[in-house]
Amino acid sequence: MTIVGVLALQGSFNEHIAALRRVGVKGVEIRKPEQLQNVGSLIIPGGESTTMAKLAEYHNLFPALREFVKMGKPVWGTCAGLIFLANKATGQKAGGQELIGGLDCTVHRNFFGSQIQSFEADIAVPELSSKEGGPETFRGVFIRAPAILEVGPEVQVLADYPVSSNEEFDSNSADGVQEGNTVSEKRVIVAVRQGNLLATAFHPELTADTRWHSYFLKMLADVREGSSSSVVSIGTDSHLNQLRIDFPIYQ
């Protein structure tokens, strides 16, 4: 059984650990920098990103997290975790928050609105379906969710979502909506992969569908092939500079 670290400062880390258990993997809570040395991959869960950032700063986790990403170890950020991994975030509160960085994208915090505007939607996931089987759509749970407005050339878009006519881009982020390898004015990106980094604006851990967790584990297997020393196992198993800027399970 492989060990996967789950950042456990705040948010839905227990739900990720439960989802990992359902696919036969052990998830361990990570709260201190030295604990990262015992895992070969990491999930940064959804939650309140400002609170998580303050706790990470208090525990001096940011340098270790940036080094973890820089070493090429698989990291998956969901919702708030996506914000942490982005190189740039807009729609922030005054003073912004510290980011890990590494993911070449611009993310808008709370793009879809406040807590009461949270929603569920079926999103097309051709890459996930191709690799993991199952339906061609995934039930996305969006809770005060961010959205990706722009991505770099090395970022693979895995899913996007249509923006209805009554939704408008925040004025602070409108400049990031361009032609080329970016979102259009009518769609925003909600899932991406760049090398060892995976990010989703929604919460797969709050559903019974474990395909995103299986997809992430295959990323870990890819790293294993290149570096046999990067993973801790308990059995057998079928520009990162400083940047400023308890849920139900849905069937």
Side-chain angles (χ1 to χ4, degrees), residues 63-235:
L65 288 168
R66 293 191 186 103
E67 182 62 23
F68 197 91
V69 170
K70 187 177 181 180
M71 291 174 65
K73 295 183 178 181
V75 181
W76 174 19
T78 61
C79 197
L82 159 61
I83 298 171
F84 271 92
L85 290 177
N87 281 346
K88 182 180 179 182
T90 66
Q92 301 219 70
K93 298 177 182 178
Q97 70 178 62
E98 195 166 352
L99 304 176
I100 299 168
L103 185 59
D104 186 11
C105 73
T106 299
V107 63
H108 188 290
R109 297 176 76 253
N110 300 340
F111 176 88
F112 292 104
S114 65
Q115 190 82 13
I116 62 173
Q117 294 168 302
S118 301
F119 64 97
E120 296 180 49
D122 291 326
I123 55 176
V125 286
E127 170 72 6
L128 183 70
S129 179
S130 172
K131 294 293 178 62
E132 302 301 326
E136 295 182 356
T137 61
F138 186 91
R139 190 68 174 174
V141 179
F142 294 82
I143 302 177
R144 199 170 62 176
I148 297 172
L149 304 179
E150 182 180 11
V151 297
E154 296 183 0
V155 177
Q156 179 185 9
V157 176
L158 302 179
D160 59 20
Y161 184 78
V163 179
S164 62
S165 58
N166 62 345
E167 290 179 287
E168 296 181 359
F169 291 99
D170 183 274
S171 59
N172 292 329
S173 64
D175 291 341
V177 183
Q178 306 170 359
E179 296 296 328
N181 194 16
T182 67
V183 298
S184 72
E185 64 178 358
K186 295 184 179 180
R187 302 191 75 87
V188 289
I189 298 168
V190 294
V192 295
R193 177 179 178 180
Q194 181 184 353
N196 60 306
L197 302 180
L198 176 67
T200 55
F202 46 91
H203 289 261
E205 76 280 8
L206 301 186
T207 77
D209 190 336
T210 56
R211 286 182 294 164
W212 282 104
H213 289 82
S214 297
Y215 182 88
F216 179 64
L217 292 175
K218 286 189 172 67
M219 292 174 55
L220 178 56
D222 292 342
V223 172
R224 272 180 170 174
E225 293 179 1
S227 175
S228 60
S229 63
S230 65
V231 178
V232 176
S233 178
I234 60 173

